[in-house]
Amino acid sequence: MKKFSWNKISFQQLFDNDIFVRVFAVIVAIVAWFAVSISQTPERNRTIVNVPVSINYEGSIPQTLGLQRIGDTEFTVTVYVTGKNSKVQKLTEDDFIATVSLNNVNQAKEYTLPIEVTKKTEDSDYRINSWSNTEITLTFDKIVTRQMTLEVSTPKLSAADGYILEKPYADVETITVSGPQNVVNRIDRCVMTLDNEGELTDSLTASGAPTLLDKNGAAVVSEYLTIEPGTVEVTVPVYRTKKLTLEPQFVNVPKGFPLDKLRYTLSQNAIMVAAANDIVDNQDSVILGPIDFRTVDIGKEMSLDVTLPAGFINTENVSSVTITFPTYGLTSKNFSVPRNNFVFENVPTGYEAVLATGTLENVKIVGDSTVLSGMSSDDLVATIDLSQVTAKKGQYTVPVRVYCQNRVLAWAVGEYTTVIALQEKAAE
């Protein structure tokens, strides 16, 4: 087979070939058609999409007034152009500038502002006919922050019989609301409402989002509001109720005194309290006082504070009760305690104590009338505790405690002192 070689074919020979001539004719026809088309349609229309709209906030009038743009921050327009085909087919969104002037923005409100579209560079080969959006709506306002007390509402919850539902509370006392001033100013209250329902026998904890309400109770909702924290935890305390007896406590009670025989009345003998299930069963009474027994006298009235243990609630709001000692069946009498009836306790080692005075005079004894009718000075004992006395030779004024012997219903009223002498023991 004979090899084909381009070197041996002349230009004239190509045109002698029918196939080549036909192909060449088609190519020339196409080029001619394009040339005629271009010459007959020298311009064409084109649509350029997603041309960004520039809103220059920096250094603007609203910025100097502290106004901020509320809402969407990015906008685009579609630009329609006409020009030379070779030019417009190469145009992109980067060849245009779309702007909005903020020169007329001088207060907080909504504005409808014109959009202006221009060429980025001067080019006479095409012109801008129009653009899709000729106006844009912008809202300007001051962004403010406000602290609000958080309210908690539990409209569908109640306590079961024998229990009380205390005031619910959240893990935060206040919330912070930020947003446009005209929206924030509409807010009147911030409420966390639990939708849980039923009768409770134990405390409940739940979480949720606070709701902002206006003065009419309608929700204030805006996508431009922020609430911090957005979620809060609410506790609904539920306590079991129980009645506790009130019991006076006495101090400085005389030795051997039959306290169970002492008569008195309380303005209230018991109090209704409430506490959590795990502690209420361990408490049966509330201690009142203490009462200094040396102040107890015939017909004496004292106001005693009611102080509950930690974790208990005073459901009756009783802050104090009155204790009254009777006037009937009791009498009083003054006695002198003889020297022989004094007893020294806790005498410092190496020392001995003696009275520097005579008898202890005018000791008031109160007690059962039948007991005092047969009582004498010999039935009284005066004790002197020297545990607080410095172990030095000399005289000291010391307190004296007087009590009645034989465990009778009688006691000394008031505080008494005497003078003692402390001296070293003689060597044996």
Side-chain angles (χ1 to χ4, degrees), residues 154-165:
T154 57
K156 300 178 183 178
L157 292 177
S158 60
D161 289 342
Y163 293 81
I164 63 169
L165 189 148

Side-chain angles (χ1 to χ4, degrees), residues 51-304:
V51 175
V53 177
S54 175
I55 305 172
N56 190 7
Y57 177 74
E58 295 299 322
S60 65
I61 292 176
Q63 185 186 44
T64 61
L65 296 175
L67 300 174
Q68 297 188 33
R69 195 167 71 229
I70 308 299
D72 294 335
T73 57
E74 295 184 0
F75 302 90
T76 61
V77 295
T78 298
V79 179
Y80 306 99
V81 300
T82 299
K84 291 183 179 180
N85 185 52
S86 58
K87 181 65 180 181
V88 297
Q89 66 181 353
K90 298 178 183 179
L91 294 175
T92 69
E93 62 271 16
D94 294 331
D95 293 308
F96 303 91
I97 300 174
T99 60
V100 173
S101 174
L102 302 182
N103 290 338
N104 293 325
V105 177
N106 53 23
Q107 59 181 306
K109 68 173 187 177
E110 184 178 272
Y111 291 85
T112 299
L113 302 173
I115 299 175
E116 294 294 332
V117 179
T118 59
K119 302 174 185 178
K120 186 169 287 186
T121 59
E122 289 297 328
D123 193 330
S124 60
D125 288 343
Y126 74 96
R127 61 186 176 274
I128 298 174
N129 297 326
S130 62
W131 45 92
S132 58
N133 300 314
T134 59
E135 295 178 332
I136 190 173
T137 300
L138 299 176
T139 300
F140 289 85
D141 203 347
K142 290 184 178 180
I143 300 299
V144 296
T145 298
R146 181 177 167 191
Q147 294 280 340
M148 300 193 69
T149 300
L150 178 63
E151 303 175 24
V152 179
S153 176
T154 57
K156 300 178 183 178
L157 292 177
S158 60
D161 289 342
Y163 293 81
I164 63 169
L165 189 148
E166 280 294 292
K167 183 179 181 181
Y169 60 89
D171 57 347
V172 295
E173 293 183 0
T174 60
I175 58 100
T176 302
V177 180
S178 298
Q181 188 175 42
N182 66 338
V183 179
V184 174
N185 286 347
R186 289 167 46 205
I187 302 171
D188 183 61
R189 300 162 55 211
C190 180
V191 182
M192 172 61 194
T193 302
L194 290 187
D195 292 328
N196 305 63
E197 57 182 291
E199 292 187 345
L200 300 179
T201 59
D202 209 345
S203 297
L204 171 70
T205 300
S207 59
T211 301
L212 304 175
L213 303 176
D214 64 17
K215 62 181 180 180
N216 297 317
V220 178
V221 180
S222 172
E223 60 181 308
Y224 310 123
L225 284 175
T226 59
I227 303 175
E228 183 63 35
T231 301
V232 298
E233 185 176 87
V234 172
T235 300
V236 184
V238 176
Y239 298 135
R240 185 153 63 88
T241 58
K242 185 177 183 180
K243 182 166 286 190
L244 303 182
T245 59
L246 300 176
E247 297 182 1
Q249 181 186 52
F250 296 92
V251 294
N252 293 320
V253 180
K255 293 180 180 180
F257 183 82
L259 198 57
D260 57 328
K261 296 182 180 180
L262 181 66
R263 297 189 303 274
Y264 56 82
T265 58
L266 294 173
S267 59
Q268 186 166 328
N269 293 311
I271 186 173
M272 185 65 74
V273 301
N277 287 325
D278 57 344
I279 64 173
V280 71
D281 286 332
N282 299 324
Q283 193 79 22
D284 295 314
S285 62
V286 177
I287 301 302
L288 303 176
I291 301 171
D292 189 342
F293 205 84
R294 295 171 298 182
T295 65
V296 176
D297 204 344
I298 299 172
K300 178 81 172 186
E301 288 188 358
M302 301 180 187
S303 179
L304 305 175

Side-chain angles (χ1 to χ4, degrees), residues 352-418:
E352 61 180 2
V354 295
L355 286 175
T357 60
T359 60
L360 184 62
E361 302 289 342
N362 295 318
V363 176
K364 181 180 180 179
I365 302 296
V366 171
D368 185 272
S369 301
T370 58
V371 172
L372 260 65
S373 64
M375 182 177 288
S376 69
S377 294
D378 292 334
D379 295 315
L380 303 179
V381 175
T383 61
I384 298 175
D385 185 358
L386 299 180
S387 59
Q388 302 301 316
V389 175
T390 304
K392 288 184 179 180
K393 182 178 179 181
Q395 290 190 339
Y396 299 89
T397 299
V398 292
V400 179
R401 297 185 60 184
V402 179
Y403 65 93
C404 304
Q405 300 187 71
N406 302 321
R407 299 180 180 273
V408 294
L409 189 63
W411 65 94
V413 177
E415 298 183 35
Y416 303 93
T417 60
T418 191

